[in-house]
Amino acid sequence: MIRTIQVELGERSYPIFIGSGLLSQIGDRCVEAGFPVRSPLLVVTDSEVAPRYLPALEENLRSKGYTVASHVIPAGEASKSLQVYEEVMTTAISAGLDRSSAVLAMGGGVVGDLAGFVAATYMRGIGFLQLPTTILAHDSSVGGKVAVNHPLAKNMIGAFYQPSLVLYDLDTLATLPARQISSGLAEVVKHGLILDKEFACWCREHAGELLALDAEALGYALERGCAIKADVVGNDEREQGQRAILNLGHTIGHAIEAVGGYGVFLHGEAIAIGMAGSALLAAKLGRDTAIYEDTVSMLSALGLPTRLPAEYGEDELIEAMMHDKKFKEGKMTFIVPDAIGAVSIVGNVEESLVREVIAQLKKEGSPW
Amino acid sequence: MIRTIQVELGERSYPIFIGSGLLSQIGDRCVEAGFPVRSPLLVVTDSEVAPRYLPALEENLRSKGYTVASHVIPAGEASKSLQVYEEVMTTAISAGLDRSSAVLAMGGGVVGDLAGFVAATYMRGIGFLQLPTTILAHDSSVGGKVAVNHPLAKNMIGAFYQPSLVLYDLDTLATLPARQISSGLAEVVKHGLILDKEFACWCREHAGELLALDAEALGYALERGCAIKADVVGNDEREQGQRAILNLGHTIGHAIEAVGGYGVFLHGEAIAIGMAGSALLAAKLGRDTAIYEDTVSMLSALGLPTRLPAEYGEDELIEAMMHDKKFKEGKMTFIVPDAIGAVSIVGNVEESLVREVIAQLKKEGSPW
Ligand SMILES: NC(=O)c1ccc[n+]([C@@H]2O[C@H](COP(=O)([O-])OP(=O)(O)OC[C@H]3O[C@@H](n4cnc5c(N)ncnc54)[C@H](O)[C@@H]3O)[C@@H](O)[C@H]2O)c1
Ligand SMILES: NC(=O)c1ccc[n+]([C@@H]2O[C@H](COP(=O)([O-])OP(=O)(O)OC[C@H]3O[C@@H](n4cnc5c(N)ncnc54)[C@H](O)[C@@H]3O)[C@@H](O)[C@H]2O)c1
Ligand SMILES: [Zn+2]
Ligand SMILES: [Zn+2]
């Protein structure tokens, strides 16, 4: 069964295919998408994914007549840097990529974001295909945000650049470590928490199947997650308004990643804590405290953390938030849940409230 | 007198203002363009331009209530690198630029291309204003091509990103060295050679006034140059077809820059030799040899070289062209004049013909 979601963005619209065994269709898909065989392709992947899936991918592409160059980056967030970006560019130039060429990103969000920024800026933009191999990458493969990190701030350097298509082979997820599975599911359930209560509850009920990578449950969850995100992005591609709701949990989450060092908490883990924090902030702003209880139970069911270790300094977290893109014109803006499945964008949040939330996230037992 | 050209690109349309004393209007123009005073502005300029024009610019912006950070790059093509790009990004982040901020590029094409790529990719794109201070930058300020160089190839990394407006203060041109004046005029006359015979002839007739920076003649020449380019770009923003005619002389010109080292020949000088080469190629392809004679007389009148020094190796030049973006799918494509004021895009040009052209460009006396 192949599930298909169409991301509607006018002339930049593209399909997402989700199913088992899809990587074996990649060569045909490239031909279908109009990439000429005489233009070299560049596969970007990482050191965990390459040994498992790269040889078959290269062979499939070559069997259709393509010339293929591959660039394997070290696995991990540290590769989303300008230095690695330049190295990938060097490979692209040396391999003779031209304006009709495409970059194929096979991996998680790190590979997708980095390779997407290469595709967006090589000769001012060439073809781009996403082959996600993590659950989290269901999120990064919808919406066209591509980026690298600056030592001073995450995702600070980037572009909006849509792929031609996304091919999501569920079989590749089988080799994901357990923590990565939970981390990815954080973004899946996030889409429910923002806009679809029923889906959020479904995730809690089917947490066991999801964590066990049951193909039917996982296929459905990724389809719903992608579809919700595609809807939001379709209405606000360049994040001038509503798209910001997708950042639920990310202001605090990014600060946790920045202060702890990338990789201490995985991205999904950090935003799980951030989503718990947003629900605490919601309570301070007068919303029902049950939102917090529900949020925490949903995240916990998926094996995600919702508390912050004591060693995270309040001042450092606040400082990190100041650098965050979500601070527009000096105001502190947060995405705050109004209920499970509904959020508001709240500007002018007082720093003192955020400090209280951080303190509560560190308290043992009940935060109240 | 303020001359205004509107670059028509749908929702990305923008005006170019050309005249004397315009820099003193910059603060008002920023307010008019909708940049909020609470968002910091970043001025990028270079070590030649900064001592002459930066203090007044900063003061003007501050007098309107803006917070201003400035980043001064070393003058010269070497600053169009990923390393300097990263340094400018660091300044932007440290200065707290947010999504409503703008980058102001005050300088020549190097500053414009680099600062434009920063604006295009800081937080995935913020405001961008061009304040050209060279004649050559009349070219780079129209059309939205922004880029940095890769050690292996010029302008290889970049984006299409349109400014909000261009403010061209003719007074700043008074401090340009003579070679830079001629170099800039090469791109001016190029626009005539491509599409407007009358204008190309006008440039030859008024060469003396142009070289002396006569405000009336220069204002007219820049207006015509910008307008011709704006027309072409308006019909093909992303260079999928006709926009490529603007590359007249650039395949050979870029190779000369790459082989000689940037700065031995200035950009305009290199493309002047390239345009002479294109006219020689035209003769080989059956066009009238008078095109070459006319091209050379127009370029010479503006103080530009049309011959290649003997030490430039044929093999190295060909090799450099192979890396050039204009080689799509392995074919050698050249812009070839059909007459003064008319060009064709010719694909599949034989390497042997290009080698003959290079040899002729090096011959002393008549090339025939
Ligand atoms: N662009 C967007 O809209 C967007 C959205 C969300 C997240 N992101 C970005 O995505 C990144 C996080 O994504 P991620 O969690 O996928 O990280 P990741 O790419 O680092 O992958 C996580 C780990 O799993 C490994 N891995 C990947 N696929 C595997 C497989 N099939 N089998 C075994 N191991 C595998 C990787 O090597 C890595 O070690 C962050 O940089 C984040 O900023 C971007
Ligand atoms: N984006 C485009 O469409 C496009 C088009 C043409 C050229 N370009 C690029 O533009 C660059 C060349 O532009 P350029 O010739 O303006 O080079 P430039 O920016 O290096 O300026 C030339 C020299 O003049 C100095 N200078 C600038 N303004 C001055 C002033 N008012 N008084 C005294 N000195 C001054 C500079 O410091 C520099 O040393 C190249 O990198 C080329 O690739 C881009
Ligand atoms: Zn995220
Ligand atoms: Zn040029």
Side-chain angles (χ1 to χ4, degrees):
Chain A
M1 172 186 188
I2 301 184
R3 299 169 189 266
T4 308
I5 300 116
Q6 180 74 6
V7 183
E8 298 289 356
L9 291 165
E11 56 181 18
R12 290 182 299 287
S13 297
Y14 62 93
I16 302 175
F17 302 105
I18 302 175
S20 291
L22 295 190
L23 274 188
S24 65
Q25 305 179 355
I26 183 66
D28 290 323
R29 298 281 184 188
C30 286
V31 172
E32 254 173 58
F35 294 103
V37 291
R38 53 190 306 172
S39 294
L41 301 175
L42 174 66
V43 179
V44 179
T45 187
D46 78 17
S47 53
E48 288 292 326
V49 178
R52 296 173 165 111
Y53 308 108
L54 184 57
L57 185 82
E58 286 182 336
E59 196 187 303
N60 183 288
L61 291 167
R62 287 184 184 132
S63 75
K64 300 295 162 187
Y66 287 104
T67 306
V68 185
S70 295
H71 189 109
V72 180
I73 63 171
E77 185 74 25
S79 285
K80 244 174 80 173
S81 69
L82 274 178
Q83 195 203 314
V84 175
Y85 166 80
E86 181 164 13
E87 289 163 10
V88 179
M89 282 288 178
T90 304
T91 302
I93 298 172
S94 306
L97 265 73
D98 61 43
R99 290 182 172 176
S100 304
S101 291
V103 176
L104 285 74
M106 180 168 65
V110 165
V111 165
D113 282 10
L114 170 75
F117 190 49
V118 169
T121 55
Y122 182 82
M123 292 184 171
R124 302 192 182 86
I126 60 172
F128 177 38
L129 285 83
Q130 293 250 41
L131 314 175
T133 66
T134 67
I135 295 175
L136 198 135
H138 90 283
D139 187 18
S140 52
S141 64
V142 181
K145 282 192 181 178
V146 296
V148 296
N149 301 323
H150 185 280
L152 295 177
K154 198 170 141 71
N155 291 330
M156 202 54 142
I157 299 176
F160 288 98
Y161 202 68
Q162 307 297 341
S164 305
L165 66 87
V166 178
L167 209 64
Y168 214 140
D169 188 336
L170 296 177
D171 296 349
T172 61
L173 303 176
T175 50
L176 272 182
R179 263 183 82 189
Q180 295 289 352
I181 294 172
S182 289
S183 172
L185 290 171
E187 300 266 20
V188 172
V189 74
K190 182 196 78 179
H191 291 122
L193 289 171
I194 290 169
L195 280 173
D196 188 341
K197 178 175 182 169
E198 209 180 310
F199 178 54
C201 294
W202 182 94
C203 288
R204 180 167 48 189
E205 276 159 42
H206 295 78
E209 290 147 78
L210 291 173
L211 291 170
L213 301 180
D214 171 82
E216 178 58 30
L218 198 58
Y220 173 73
L222 293 176
E223 181 182 12
R224 269 311 289 150
C226 288
I228 293 171
K229 180 159 184 187
D231 252 8
V232 175
V233 169
N235 290 318
D236 180 20
E237 186 179 0
R238 296 193 145 247
E239 193 159 335
Q240 315 203 287
Q242 275 306 107
R243 180 170 177 164
I245 63 175
L246 296 171
N247 292 324
L248 178 69
H250 279 63
T251 301
I252 295 175
H254 283 165
I256 293 170
E257 288 179 282
V259 170
Y262 295 114
V264 174
F265 280 114
L266 300 178
H267 180 67
E269 292 168 346
I271 67 148
I273 301 171
M275 290 190 281
S278 307
L280 289 173
L281 182 62
K284 290 191 187 305
L285 296 169
R287 273 76 157 176
D288 193 337
T289 55
I291 303 170
Y292 172 76
E293 312 295 346
D294 267 333
T295 300
V296 166
S297 87
M298 287 163 173
L299 295 169
S300 304
L302 295 169
L304 289 160
T306 56
R307 289 311 178 87
L308 194 59
E311 65 268 25
Y312 279 73
E314 226 173 88
D315 290 341
E316 288 153 283
L317 289 167
I318 294 281
E319 167 73 8
M321 289 182 214
M322 294 291 176
H323 276 304
D324 196 282
K325 290 184 300 306
K326 278 167 289 297
F327 288 81
K328 186 167 161 156
E329 297 172 30
K331 283 180 241 158
M332 275 193 147
T333 301
F334 277 81
I335 315 305
V336 178
D338 296 318
I340 299 296
V343 295
S344 295
I345 303 177
V346 180
N348 279 316
V349 172
E350 296 280 341
E351 192 183 308
S352 59
L353 284 189
V354 183
R355 288 185 179 269
E356 285 174 40
V357 165
I358 295 170
Q360 281 177 306
L361 281 172
K362 291 205 244 173
K363 254 180 79 176
E364 294 190 37
S366 161
W368 316 112
Chain B
M1 172 187 188
I2 302 185
R3 299 168 190 266
T4 308
I5 301 117
Q6 180 73 6
V7 184
E8 299 289 356
L9 292 164
E11 57 182 17
R12 291 182 299 287
S13 297
Y14 62 94
I16 302 175
F17 302 106
I18 303 174
S20 290
L22 295 190
L23 275 189
S24 65
Q25 306 179 354
I26 183 66
D28 291 323
R29 297 282 184 188
C30 287
V31 172
E32 255 173 57
F35 294 102
V37 291
R38 51 190 308 171
S39 293
L41 300 175
L42 174 66
V43 179
V44 179
T45 187
D46 77 18
S47 54
E48 288 292 326
V49 178
R52 295 174 165 111
Y53 307 109
L54 184 57
L57 184 83
E58 287 181 336
E59 196 187 304
N60 183 287
L61 291 167
R62 287 183 185 133
S63 75
K64 300 295 162 188
Y66 287 105
T67 306
V68 184
S70 294
H71 189 109
V72 180
I73 63 172
E77 184 74 26
S79 285
K80 245 175 80 173
S81 69
L82 274 179
Q83 194 202 315
V84 175
Y85 167 78
E86 181 163 14
E87 289 163 11
V88 179
M89 282 288 179
T90 304
T91 302
I93 297 172
S94 306
L97 265 72
D98 62 42
R99 288 181 174 180
S100 304
S101 290
V103 176
L104 286 75
M106 180 169 65
V110 165
V111 165
D113 283 10
L114 170 74
F117 190 48
V118 169
T121 54
Y122 183 80
M123 292 183 171
R124 303 192 182 87
I126 60 173
F128 176 39
L129 285 83
Q130 293 250 40
L131 314 175
T133 66
T134 67
I135 294 174
L136 198 134
H138 91 282
D139 187 18
S140 51
S141 63
V142 181
K145 282 193 182 178
V146 296
V148 296
N149 301 323
H150 185 281
L152 295 178
K154 199 169 140 71
N155 292 329
M156 202 55 142
I157 299 176
F160 287 97
Y161 201 69
Q162 306 297 340
S164 304
L165 66 87
V166 177
L167 209 65
Y168 214 139
D169 189 336
L170 296 177
D171 296 349
T172 61
L173 303 176
T175 50
L176 272 181
R179 262 183 83 189
Q180 295 290 350
I181 295 172
S182 289
S183 171
L185 290 170
E187 300 267 18
V188 173
V189 74
K190 180 195 79 179
H191 290 122
L193 289 171
I194 291 169
L195 279 172
D196 187 340
K197 176 173 183 172
E198 209 180 308
F199 177 54
C201 294
W202 181 95
C203 288
R204 179 167 50 189
E205 275 160 41
H206 295 77
E209 289 147 79
L210 290 173
L211 291 170
L213 301 179
D214 172 81
E216 178 58 31
L218 198 58
Y220 172 73
L222 293 176
E223 181 182 11
R224 268 312 289 149
C226 289
I228 293 171
K229 180 159 184 189
D231 253 9
V232 175
V233 169
N235 291 318
D236 180 21
E237 187 179 359
R238 297 195 144 246
E239 192 159 337
Q240 316 204 285
Q242 275 306 106
R243 181 170 177 164
I245 64 175
L246 297 171
N247 292 324
L248 178 69
H250 278 62
T251 300
I252 295 174
H254 283 165
I256 293 170
E257 287 180 283
V259 170
Y262 295 114
V264 175
F265 279 114
L266 300 178
H267 180 67
E269 292 168 346
I271 66 148
I273 301 171
M275 290 191 280
S278 307
L280 289 173
L281 182 62
K284 290 190 188 307
L285 296 169
R287 274 74 159 177
D288 194 336
T289 55
I291 302 171
Y292 172 75
E293 313 294 347
D294 266 332
T295 300
V296 165
S297 87
M298 287 163 174
L299 295 169
S300 304
L302 296 169
L304 289 159
T306 56
R307 290 312 178 87
L308 194 59
E311 64 267 24
Y312 281 72
E314 225 172 271
D315 290 340
E316 288 153 282
L317 289 166
I318 293 282
E319 168 72 11
M321 288 181 213
M322 294 292 176
H323 276 303
D324 196 282
K325 289 185 300 306
K326 278 167 289 298
F327 288 80
K328 185 166 163 156
E329 297 172 29
K331 283 180 241 157
M332 273 192 150
T333 300
F334 276 81
I335 315 303
V336 178
D338 297 318
I340 298 295
V343 295
S344 295
I345 303 177
V346 179
N348 279 316
V349 172
E350 297 279 342
E351 191 183 310
S352 59
L353 284 190
V354 183
R355 287 185 179 268
E356 284 174 40
V357 165
I358 295 171
Q360 280 176 309
L361 281 173
K362 292 204 241 174
K363 253 180 81 176
E364 293 191 38
S366 161
W368 316 111

